[in-house]
Amino acid sequence: MADRILKKENLGKLVASVNGKGGRFIAPVLDARQVVFKDVARAEDIVSDYILARNSYKEYVFPQTEVVADFTVEKHGVDLKSREVEARETVVLGARPCEATSLSSLRAIFTWDYIDEFYTKREDTLVVITVACTKADEACFCTTVGLSPETKTGSDVYLLETESGDYIVETMTEKGKAFVERHKAAFTEGGAKAKALVMPEKIGTIDLNKVGARLKDKSHYDDQVWARLTRKCIGCGACTFVCPTCHCFDITDEGTAFAGERRKNWDACQYDTFTLHASGHNPRHYQYQRWRNRFMCKFNFYPEKFASKGCVGCGRCIRVCPVRLDITEVMEEFSR
Amino acid sequence: MEERLRKKAKELLESGEVKVVIGYGWNRQKTRTSPVFITDAAEVDRLVWNPLCVNNLSIYLTRKFKDIQALGRPAIVAKGCDIRNIVVLITEAQFKREDVYILGMACEGTVYRQELWKGELKPEIMPTKCHNCDVRNPHLADFVVGEKSSFTPPEAPAGMVFDKIKAIDAMGQAGKWAFWINEFSRCIKCYACRQVCSLCYCERCITEKNMPQWIETSAHPRGNLSWNLTRAMHLVGRCTFCGECERACPVNIPLNLVNQKMIQVVKDAFDFRSGYDEKTHPPMIVFSPDDKDDFIK
Ligand code: SF4
Ligand code: SF4
Ligand code: SF4
Ligand code: SF4
Ligand code: SF4
């Protein structure tokens, strides 16, 4: 059977088709010397030689800042009007297999005790087109958390790069099938040889079961390990902002005393004010305790509550950290 | 040098003169350096010294790090440029000179970013600060590690940052505005620039004062501009051009241009450069009756 192919020269057709039908096309482009996910109008801007985009594409389902309501202060009280999410087909091309699995993690939290439509409506119209990895760096550790470049769950469409720079197309979900159908003029059929995928080496000294078990036992809480390995954290929050599964936000009002908007903005458990009480007490007094929370969230809270992963091993937090705090070194410590 | 450093660190810990040595160590793969805190003399071999030692560790001397302070008197591994930040901290009464033991490193330069390291320190991977450095031989230290550097900085400061500032100055008001609005538009309001700066030591930054909300926390153009201007203004006359903020910024905003421009303005107006003398107060925190400007009188 012939494969479905997305030819390099047809990428432009696909971009035009999505944008032309009122959709949004997101792909990795070069911006300020970094590869980042951004809106794309021309296929020429899309880069293919990268490991992972600097940012996670989560910002297209969970924007960094968005208005959720408008308010006016009237004589009779406050008028609050909720905003409606305008969701349209949003296509992300060039996600990696590890991060493709992160959407189910985000959905789990945003539909857990409350259905956050600002998230779900966007995710319902998001099409994730994964390109399997032909490159990796020392920060990649998908294979250590049970994923790999061959992981297809989470992707709506899974692409393998060919030697000539085209893509072999595999549709994984109904959404993916519908997408290919909707834009079928951009796809062709044929046969091609896929480039070899690159498997990051599994870190042998890490055992996720042991990490989980150790974290369940509350005695780890005051373990000296936290201070020893993570007191160098400066609490910049960059790791949480680039992480595809981090999801914390803050609600803030902006405007005048009489009218304004209520916004939902990204927040991070790494900030010292995150758990600061009005009384002045802070249960996470030291930075390493805030870091402990991030680790707990990924390797204890998530596995306990949800079927999806808290960490997908993309390594973004390691690459971005100004003090090179490596989460795998902590995983290693708790595997002993 | 590494051996000398370890030996001295060991001595200091064994004698009890210091309780912790703040320095650099390797990551697991030995490809990047990362801060380490040595409290046990048996562990001094974890200390390393090489051109990848980019971090300005003086951040760990600030009051934000109460857990490190609780360990006791620190010794800090510091390059000349890092010592400049320590000097500013002393002049701003964050601690006293004798509260910290400075292990000054004679330095031949570092890489601009660790990712650039290919095994050799070439001029093109060094930051502008290193090309103009007048503190390769630490100017304030309790103990200096390494051979004296014979480097003399150029008469007139030169390098990428200075060239870019000249280009921006030539853009005119509208051009400058457009340039910076575009650069700041990428800001994601993570505040990494603030967190990594040892001179941003306020326990409650103005961005966190929300009654009223002085600085909008949203990463929209208005919020980004107000944050970046505020950050710049709060560092006037204090910033040492160590470059940590630019290095930490995850979206590559050229903060070094802002920083160096402020340094030039302060130099022209007050003939002052921060971080050289721990006994001179920075211009923004002193009042002098001889001030040549009279608007304040
Ligand atoms: S914790 Fe780090 S490695 Fe894990 S998903 Fe988040 S950014 Fe990726
Ligand atoms: S990026 Fe590094 S320093 Fe910043 S909050 Fe995360 S772990 Fe801490
Ligand atoms: S500025 Fe000077 S002291 Fe600092 S790293 Fe460069 S050469 Fe070394
Ligand atoms: S260069 Fe940046 S990090 Fe360094 S002192 Fe100046 S503002 Fe702070
Ligand atoms: S580090 Fe960069 S992105 Fe983060 S707040 Fe500062 S300027 Fe903005």
Side-chain angles (χ1 to χ4, degrees), chain A residues 31-32 34 54 64-65 138 231-236 241 254 263 265 271 288 322-324 328-329 332, chain B residues 28-29 31-32 34-35 55 60 67 186 188 190 192 195-196 216-218 220 222 247 250-252:
Chain A
D31 182 30
Q34 291 178 319
R54 189 262 305 147
Q64 177 143 26
T65 176
E138 58 180 14
R231 67 161 34 116
K232 63 187 170 191
C233 171
I234 57 166
C236 71
F241 279 24
E254 287 178 1
R263 283 183 172 266
N265 290 346
Y271 295 153
Y288 66 79
V323 299
R324 197 76 184 183
T328 63
E329 290 180 17
E332 202 173 23
Chain B
R28 174 159 30 82
Q29 297 97 329
T31 50
R32 304 285 162 90
S34 178
N55 290 53
Y60 298 117
D67 60 314
R186 288 198 307 280
I188 55 172
C190 62
Q195 290 303 112
V196 82
E216 286 165 339
T217 56
S218 310
H220 51 36
R222 203 172 57 223
R247 186 178 68 81
V251 299
N252 281 358

Side-chain angles (χ1 to χ4, degrees), chain A residues 232-263:
Chain A
K232 63 187 170 191
C233 171
I234 57 166
C236 71
C239 51
T240 67
F241 279 24
V242 297
C243 175
T245 64
C246 277
H247 48 255
C248 289
F249 62 85
D250 182 34
I251 297 290
T252 178
D253 291 343
E254 287 178 1
T256 65
F258 309 105
E261 51 198 27
R262 173 154 291 185
R263 283 183 172 266

Side-chain angles (χ1 to χ4, degrees), chain B residues 243-273:
Chain B
E244 282 292 85
C245 48
E246 177 168 305
R247 186 178 68 81
C249 177
V251 299
N252 281 358
I253 296 178
L255 297 171
N256 275 342
L257 300 180
V258 183
N259 303 329
Q260 184 53 243
K261 179 71 192 174
M262 295 185 311
I263 288 171
Q264 291 174 7
V265 170
V266 172
K267 174 98 176 51
D268 293 345
F270 303 100
D271 193 25
F272 178 82
R273 292 189 311 150

Side-chain angles (χ1 to χ4, degrees), chain A residues 13-292:
Chain A
K13 255 193 213 165
L14 186 61
V15 174
S17 177
V18 170
N19 286 332
K21 291 191 165 87
R24 201 172 170 188
F25 201 97
I26 315 292
V29 300
L30 206 59
D31 182 30
R33 308 182 303 288
Q34 291 178 319
V35 175
V36 288
F37 281 122
K38 272 189 99 163
D39 285 278
V40 170
R42 308 175 325 145
E44 303 86 272
D45 295 337
I46 302 175
V47 295
S48 56
D49 185 23
Y50 65 101
I51 294 168
L52 279 124
R54 189 262 305 147
N55 54 340
S56 150
Y57 62 80
K58 75 176 173 189
E59 66 191 63
Y60 299 101
V61 277
F62 169 38
Q64 177 143 26
T65 176
E66 76 174 312
V67 182
V68 292
D70 297 281
F71 64 85
T72 50
V73 183
E74 310 288 352
K75 281 207 182 70
H76 61 265
V78 178
D79 271 347
L80 194 65
K81 230 170 87 212
S82 182
R83 287 265 180 114
E84 286 300 318
V85 194
E86 167 239 0
R88 50 183 173 138
E89 181 181 49
T90 304
V91 177
V92 173
L93 174 92
R96 295 305 187 193
C98 58
E99 60 182 333
T101 66
S102 69
L103 279 181
S104 60
S105 314
L106 291 178
R107 184 171 270 271
I109 195 94
F110 283 121
T111 58
W112 175 39
D113 52 353
Y114 173 82
I115 311 277
D116 184 340
E117 290 193 346
F118 288 93
Y119 176 84
T120 54
K121 284 193 177 161
R122 284 199 183 86
E123 206 226 88
D124 289 343
T125 55
L126 185 81
V127 182
V128 180
I129 308 180
T130 303
V131 178
C133 317
T134 51
K135 252 178 118 173
D137 69 5
E138 58 180 14
C140 291
F141 66 101
C142 55
T143 47
T144 305
V145 295
L147 299 170
S148 89
E150 288 172 346
T151 302
K152 294 176 183 171
T153 37
S155 308
D156 295 309
V157 180
Y158 179 86
L159 303 183
L160 288 171
E161 259 179 285
T162 69
E163 298 290 352
S164 52
D166 301 331
Y167 299 100
I168 301 172
V169 180
E170 191 178 345
T171 49
M172 303 308 304
T173 60
E174 287 308 317
K175 218 199 249 179
K177 284 195 190 111
F179 166 80
V180 171
E181 188 52 35
R182 199 157 49 246
H183 305 287
K184 58 172 174 270
F187 297 92
T188 53
E189 290 209 341
K193 192 173 170 324
K195 271 197 212 167
L197 300 184
V198 167
M199 298 283 158
E201 203 180 320
K202 189 171 181 298
I203 304 171
T205 41
I206 292 177
D207 179 344
L208 277 189
N209 292 328
K210 278 196 189 154
V211 175
R214 183 78 184 90
L215 295 182
K216 254 190 202 62
D217 171 4
K218 298 241 171 350
S219 70
H220 77 80
Y221 228 66
D222 296 313
D223 198 318
Q224 274 305 303
V225 166
W226 297 113
R228 191 154 55 78
L229 293 181
T230 73
R231 67 161 34 116
K232 63 187 170 191
C233 171
I234 57 166
C236 71
C239 51
T240 67
F241 279 24
V242 297
C243 175
T245 64
C246 277
H247 48 255
C248 289
F249 62 85
D250 182 34
I251 297 290
T252 178
D253 291 343
E254 287 178 1
T256 65
F258 309 105
E261 51 198 27
R262 173 154 291 185
R263 283 183 172 266
K264 175 179 166 194
N265 290 346
W266 285 1
D267 198 355
C269 59
Q270 299 307 295
Y271 295 153
D272 55 354
T273 46
F274 189 79
T275 48
L276 183 66
H277 296 180
S279 66
H281 172 69
N282 194 340
R284 296 184 204 139
H285 188 56
Y286 297 137
Q287 189 59 38
Y288 66 79
Q289 297 168 329
R290 297 170 201 133
W291 202 91
R292 178 186 66 201

